[in-house]
Amino acid sequence: MTKEQSQSMLQALNPFMPGAGMRPPELVGREKDLEIIDRMIARVKLHAMDRGIIFSGLRGVGKTVLLVACQELVERQGMTTARIEATGDADTDYDAMFGALSRAMIMSGHGSLFSSIQNKLANIESISLNFHGIGASLNTNTQDRPGTNSMRLELLIESIAQQLQKKDSGLFLFIDEFQEMASEPLGTLISLQHRMGQDSLPFYIIGAGLPNLPGVLSRSKSYAERLFEYRIIGQLSAEDTAEGFQKPAAREGRPFQDDALEELVKVSQGYPYFIQAYGKAAWNASDSSPIALRAVKESEADARAELDEGLHASRWQRATVAGREYLAAMAAISGDEPSSTSEVARSLGKNTQQASSIRQSLIELGLIYSPARGKVAFTVPDMGEFILRASPASGQTYDGKRQPER
């Protein structure tokens, strides 16, 4: 085998693979979150009530991976689960929920029950809530009537939860990018979570989204802050970060030397996506075992390029020209720390009110969020550093690619 073939074989065994929502080879630092899900399952089996859970954090911290791990744990315990990714379009999100619930009931062996429930709800036109219960009127052509989706979803989930409770089971709806959900289905789901709790029915929303998600929920329904357990998903500890690098590497017979591991912990900053990018680059750059510090150092530029492509450049390109100017001002003022909205506006030659529409558009794009009144911050780790590093003076464009030498 030639040296090139040998190196190609080693790279094929690389356990690290950065990607959106891809399960890492070692899920570390999230034990407490999984324990909370385990507790919820136990309470469902005992017909005891609990709250839903909301995971929020920056991009690249592993929220989607955690959501999937929680779903797998719930399913292994015999619960019924459905998962969607919110899009911001009400009809699309309703369709996704109906489809996910249908698949969930069929996959969990309750297909005939689901068909029976669907047949009863197919022609619902209107619904009225009163102190004596739920009243529904029927009509044969109601699919396009306003509010029909909301009514159908409420009655569908309630009917499923009632039947699952008889089997000591429950329904868990997992929602990724929850902050993107349109206001109408969002309000419906929060109200439904509230009512299911009041009626002691086992339905739980497990949502994940950006740091602004708790605020989005509370603005939709003021009581949302009491319906969920809020969990901030952040950077991993140094110990967990080291484990995230060393365990998968050692399993493949190529662990990192101590000084190499120390450098990886430092440059990855505890972000799970960064662990995959730096781990992949260091593994591919090394032809020895254990992997030495030299390989880590030599591969850091490749890892940063991977992060630029996977996290930064595409988000920069989504912004308008005015939005990019706003983002660049944030980076120049505070780097990756939160920036004052008034300072950003001044640097753009505008007052705060004039800059507010640009700021709001960037928030709606999921590029920034407001961690406190009068403050804005990037939703992507190292976005400020990327913007500063990829300035024209550095010889790079904002898409992270080198400009040709002149």
Side-chain angles (χ1 to χ4, degrees):
M1 182 181 297
T2 66
K3 182 178 180 180
E4 289 75 16
Q5 289 173 325
S6 178
Q7 189 67 13
S8 178
M9 181 65 71
L10 283 175
Q11 292 185 10
L13 295 173
N14 194 329
F16 301 98
M17 183 53 63
M22 293 182 64
R23 182 75 176 259
E26 197 69 35
L27 183 61
V28 296
R30 307 306 185 203
E31 293 80 9
K32 178 65 175 176
D33 303 297
L34 295 175
E35 286 173 7
I36 292 172
I37 292 290
D38 218 15
R39 179 205 69 197
M40 290 182 67
I41 297 168
R43 291 180 62 82
V44 168
K45 291 179 178 179
L46 294 172
H47 293 206
M49 295 309 297
D50 213 325
R51 295 179 292 174
I53 300 178
I54 297 298
F55 298 118
S56 63
L58 300 177
R59 299 204 182 276
V61 295
K63 301 183 300 297
T64 300
V65 168
L66 177 59
L67 205 66
V68 173
C70 290
Q71 183 182 16
E72 290 173 352
L73 176 59
V74 171
E75 287 178 344
R76 287 198 299 271
Q77 294 284 345
M79 304 288 115
T80 298
T81 74
R83 176 162 54 95
I84 69 162
E85 181 177 314
T87 66
D89 180 80
D91 289 338
T92 301
D93 288 341
Y94 273 122
D95 287 345
M97 283 188 278
F98 288 128
L101 289 168
S102 175
R103 290 191 298 274
M105 293 297 286
I106 293 171
M107 295 297 292
S108 61
H110 301 300
S112 58
L113 169 62
F114 183 78
S115 296
S116 174
I117 294 172
Q118 280 282 65
N119 289 336
K120 292 177 182 178
L121 303 183
N123 295 318
I124 289 178
E125 174 186 10
S126 64
I127 182 171
S128 61
L129 297 176
N130 52 54
F131 292 110
H132 305 291
I134 300 174
S137 60
L138 300 179
N139 192 288
T140 56
N141 293 299
T142 62
Q143 295 303 304
D144 297 326
R145 293 179 183 268
T148 300
N149 279 333
S150 173
M151 296 177 229
R152 288 180 60 222
L153 184 68
E154 290 188 37
L155 288 181
L156 178 61
I157 287 178
E158 181 177 16
S159 299
I160 292 173
Q162 287 173 341
Q163 296 302 317
L164 291 178
Q165 188 176 55
K166 297 175 183 178
K167 303 176 182 295
D168 300 331
S169 183
L171 176 62
F172 289 71
L173 177 60
F174 293 84
I175 308 174
D176 203 4
E177 300 291 350
F178 201 8
Q179 80 285 340
E180 295 287 346
M181 185 165 282
S183 59
E184 204 275 339
L186 177 63
T188 296
L189 284 174
I190 296 175
S191 297
L192 187 55
Q193 179 72 91
H194 188 206
R195 187 160 61 83
M196 293 296 96
Q198 291 176 322
D199 295 342
S200 299
L201 289 174
F203 167 68
Y204 298 102
I205 296 170
I206 313 295
L210 293 175
N212 65 327
L213 175 55
V216 170
L217 299 180
S218 64
R219 284 192 295 273
S220 176
K221 301 288 182 181
S222 60
Y223 52 77
E225 61 188 24
R226 303 190 298 275
L227 294 181
F228 302 100
E229 181 166 346
Y230 290 89
R231 303 282 299 172
I232 297 176
I233 307 302
Q235 295 155 273
L236 299 172
S237 68
E239 293 76 15
D240 288 332
T241 301
E243 189 175 339
F245 279 112
Q246 194 69 296
K247 270 196 170 182
R251 204 159 40 232
E252 296 295 337
R254 300 181 75 212
F256 294 100
Q257 288 182 352
D258 289 346
D259 54 356
L261 187 59
E262 184 177 345
E263 175 69 9
L264 287 169
V265 169
K266 182 180 75 172
V267 295
S268 66
Q269 305 173 63
Y271 292 113
Y273 193 95
F274 287 26
I275 291 174
Q276 298 306 305
Y278 280 99
K280 174 188 174 183
W283 178 285
N284 287 344
S286 174
D287 56 4
S288 66
S289 180
I291 299 174
L293 176 62
R294 174 186 55 80
V296 173
K297 290 283 192 180
E298 290 177 353
S299 66
E300 286 180 5
D302 290 336
R304 283 195 298 271
E306 178 101 46
L307 293 172
D308 287 351
E309 182 179 347
L311 281 178
H312 303 125
S314 62
R315 288 174 172 82
W316 171 264
Q317 292 160 3
R318 289 174 64 188
T320 63
V321 172
R324 293 181 186 186
E325 291 175 351
Y326 196 100
L327 297 175
M330 288 174 58
I333 291 169
S334 304
D336 281 295
E337 297 300 315
S339 302
S340 163
T341 55
S342 59
E343 283 189 63
V344 174
R346 277 197 302 272
S347 74
L348 295 173
K350 303 176 184 293
N351 60 41
T352 305
Q353 186 174 2
Q354 290 172 329
S356 63
S357 61
I358 305 173
R359 180 180 70 248
Q360 186 58 38
S361 69
L362 292 171
I363 290 174
E364 291 172 357
L365 284 172
L367 300 178
I368 64 174
Y369 72 104
S370 178
R373 185 175 179 82
K375 295 286 186 179
V376 284
F378 296 110
T379 60
V380 180
D382 278 4
M383 187 69 182
E385 189 272 341
F386 162 76
I387 293 172
L388 294 173
R389 173 167 45 83
S391 67
S394 72
Q396 288 184 298
T397 64
Y398 277 113
D399 61 7
K401 297 176 181 178
R402 295 291 304 181
Q403 292 180 345
E405 297 290 338
R406 296 186 180 275

